[in-house]
Amino acid sequence: MDIKSLCLGALSIGDASGYEIKKMFEEGPFSHFYDAGYGSIYPALNKLLEDDLVTCTEIEQESRPAKKVYSLTDAGLTYLKADLNQKPARDKTRSESIVMMFFGHLLSSSHREEILHSYIDYFRDGCTCLDDLDLSNQPNGRLFVRGLGLAVYEAAAKYLEENKDLLLSDDEERDFGDAA
Amino acid sequence: MDIKSLCLGALSIGDASGYEIKKMFEEGPFSHFYDAGYGSIYPALNKLLEDDLVTCTEIEQESRPAKKVYSLTDAGLTYLKADLNQKPARDKTRSESIVMMFFGHLLSSSHREEILHSYIDYFRDGCTCLDDLDLSNQPNGRLFVRGLGLAVYEAAAKYLEENKDLLLSDDEERDFGDAA
DNA sequence: TGACTATATATCAAAACGATATATATCAAC
DNA sequence: GTTGATATATATCGTTTTGATATATAGTCA
């Protein structure tokens, strides 16, 4: 599974432009479990078009630049279903905020505090974002996944707030027997 | 912040070989918030060596292949601290399991069930892994971060188990007005 | 002896990232 | 009225990262 498959998935919900697909990753239903930028999405859509897994129509708009709207073909849906029924790869995560908290004793106390509060805000905003999704009359999988995201974000925000003193109390210069 | 910084961070805990650093990402204290494979770690260590941010000693071992043990230099620690005090990038996640659950209505019910149970096991194993870490007499940041990982993994496992019926009940062929 | 697992390092094509460029249009400010 | 900011929209490209593969030593188990 790669960005191409995710684009097919996005188009299985409905026709969309690259810009609109990006928004699904940024603030839409994919935001809490997959990331992709323009640099991945546009090339992916072009490859899908080459392989006839999607079609493309250029649409002129009033008071906005023209956009290219992509649609899933039958072959695209078949490909997507096959890919979705494979064995999933392990989750990949990369959190620089957590890295910084892990090495909190190497941070200035003001930076440590800043990181922590920004991270709490990040989870709170994530909850709002998921709450705002309109999932009425949609497949249960989408509701289920939104619920999972909310549960995880809420648990993270709760932990961070309830235990913030543990992080903030970290000494800057105590000796832990590390090389540092 | 990139893999080079993470390697410096790993070495700030103590001298280590590339293989040992990999284990920190795989089953060690980094496992729940950062990923890196050999293909990133070995080139990173070579670049760090070139820039004199680490030193390297080849160690012969009995009944095992020789290993290259890397140590942080003063310049390396300075670089690490500077990097750690920058603004963190947004979290990046990529979960194929959640993608599959999101598009659960396009999956065979047996695959849907398989995905769900494997994912519950994944979080349960993650909890065990974090529980097994020996963090005695270590900086509070490391305890704090382990606690965060546990809180998140437990919340995820709990949600998945308590709501599994919602996912499993997803119809395969209902019409949701999607392209699919 | 052969198969498997664990330790250990290395490489490389393919994929993805992320920063930048370009263009149109609205809105607010000065 | 024009500067600056924001939103929509597409595209490119050097750098980084991935993930699969190769290579080698050594212990274990059948």
Side-chain angles (χ1 to χ4, degrees):
Chain A
M1 192 186 301
D2 56 11
I3 306 273
K4 289 203 299 290
S5 302
L6 264 290
C7 288
L8 291 176
L11 295 175
S12 83
I13 297 171
D15 295 352
S17 65
Y19 187 78
E20 286 158 355
I21 292 174
K22 172 66 162 43
K23 290 221 146 177
M24 297 177 73
F25 289 103
E26 214 173 80
E27 55 195 24
F30 299 165
S31 64
H32 64 102
F33 61 89
Y34 218 92
D35 286 285
Y38 295 123
S40 316
I41 294 169
Y42 285 117
L45 288 170
N46 285 325
K47 276 174 224 155
L48 291 170
L49 195 57
E50 265 180 54
D51 296 343
D52 296 317
L53 300 177
V54 301
T55 57
C56 176
T57 318
E58 197 150 354
I59 309 251
E60 299 294 330
Q61 299 181 103
E62 273 176 49
S63 26
R64 274 182 198 182
K67 65 177 176 180
K68 292 181 174 179
V69 173
Y70 295 86
S71 306
L72 200 59
T73 64
D74 289 346
L77 180 57
T78 303
Y79 180 98
L80 173 63
K81 279 183 179 171
D83 209 35
L84 248 20
N85 280 280
Q86 299 296 113
K87 201 189 160 200
R90 273 194 53 155
D91 283 10
K92 263 156 281 171
T93 49
R94 175 159 295 197
S95 172
E96 295 193 0
S97 297
I98 304 187
V99 172
M100 288 174 184
M101 297 188 299
F102 185 91
F103 294 108
H105 60 295
L106 301 178
L107 267 48
S108 71
S109 60
S110 64
H111 188 59
R112 219 185 301 153
E113 204 154 345
E114 164 63 20
I115 296 295
L116 180 68
H117 289 122
S118 300
Y119 207 39
I120 292 172
D121 289 344
Y122 165 76
F123 288 119
R124 294 248 170 275
D125 292 348
C127 287
T128 307
C129 201
L130 288 174
D131 272 325
D132 287 348
L133 289 177
D134 178 19
L135 258 35
S136 50
N137 197 35
Q138 298 227 358
N140 291 339
R142 300 185 199 162
L143 297 171
F144 181 78
V145 162
R146 186 250 295 270
L148 174 60
L150 275 171
V152 165
Y153 281 2
E154 277 163 12
K158 183 165 179 282
Y159 176 88
L160 293 174
E161 274 185 350
E162 287 178 357
N163 297 278
K164 60 165 84 173
D165 291 343
L166 178 61
L167 180 73
L168 267 19
S169 70
D170 222 347
D171 289 333
E172 238 165 300
E173 295 301 337
R174 224 169 87 215
D175 183 6
F176 299 105
D178 292 353
Chain B
M1 193 186 302
D2 55 12
I3 307 273
K4 290 204 297 291
S5 301
L6 264 290
C7 287
L8 290 176
L11 295 175
S12 83
I13 297 171
D15 295 351
S17 65
Y19 187 78
E20 285 157 355
I21 292 174
K22 172 65 163 41
K23 290 220 147 178
M24 297 176 75
F25 289 102
E26 214 173 80
E27 55 194 25
F30 298 164
S31 64
H32 64 103
F33 60 89
Y34 217 93
D35 287 285
Y38 295 123
S40 317
I41 293 168
Y42 286 117
L45 288 170
N46 286 326
K47 276 174 223 155
L48 291 170
L49 196 58
E50 264 180 53
D51 295 342
D52 296 317
L53 299 177
V54 301
T55 57
C56 176
T57 318
E58 198 151 354
I59 310 249
E60 298 294 330
Q61 298 181 103
E62 273 177 48
S63 27
R64 275 184 196 180
K67 63 177 175 179
K68 293 182 175 179
V69 173
Y70 294 87
S71 305
L72 201 59
T73 64
D74 289 346
L77 181 56
T78 303
Y79 180 98
L80 174 62
K81 280 182 180 171
D83 209 35
L84 249 19
N85 280 280
Q86 298 296 113
K87 202 189 160 200
R90 273 194 54 156
D91 284 10
K92 263 154 280 172
T93 50
R94 174 159 297 198
S95 172
E96 295 192 0
S97 296
I98 303 187
V99 171
M100 288 174 183
M101 298 188 300
F102 185 92
F103 294 108
H105 58 297
L106 301 178
L107 267 51
S108 71
S109 60
S110 64
H111 187 59
R112 218 184 303 153
E113 203 154 346
E114 163 64 20
I115 296 295
L116 179 69
H117 290 123
S118 301
Y119 207 39
I120 292 173
D121 288 344
Y122 165 76
F123 287 119
R124 294 248 170 274
D125 291 348
C127 286
T128 307
C129 200
L130 288 174
D131 272 325
D132 288 348
L133 288 177
D134 178 20
L135 258 35
S136 51
N137 198 35
Q138 297 228 359
N140 290 339
R142 301 185 198 162
L143 298 172
F144 181 78
V145 162
R146 186 251 294 270
L148 174 59
L150 276 171
V152 165
Y153 280 1
E154 277 162 12
K158 184 165 178 282
Y159 177 87
L160 293 174
E161 275 186 349
E162 287 179 357
N163 297 277
K164 61 165 82 174
D165 290 342
L166 178 60
L167 180 74
L168 268 18
S169 71
D170 222 346
D171 290 333
E172 240 165 299
E173 295 302 336
R174 223 170 87 217
D175 184 7
F176 299 106
D178 291 354

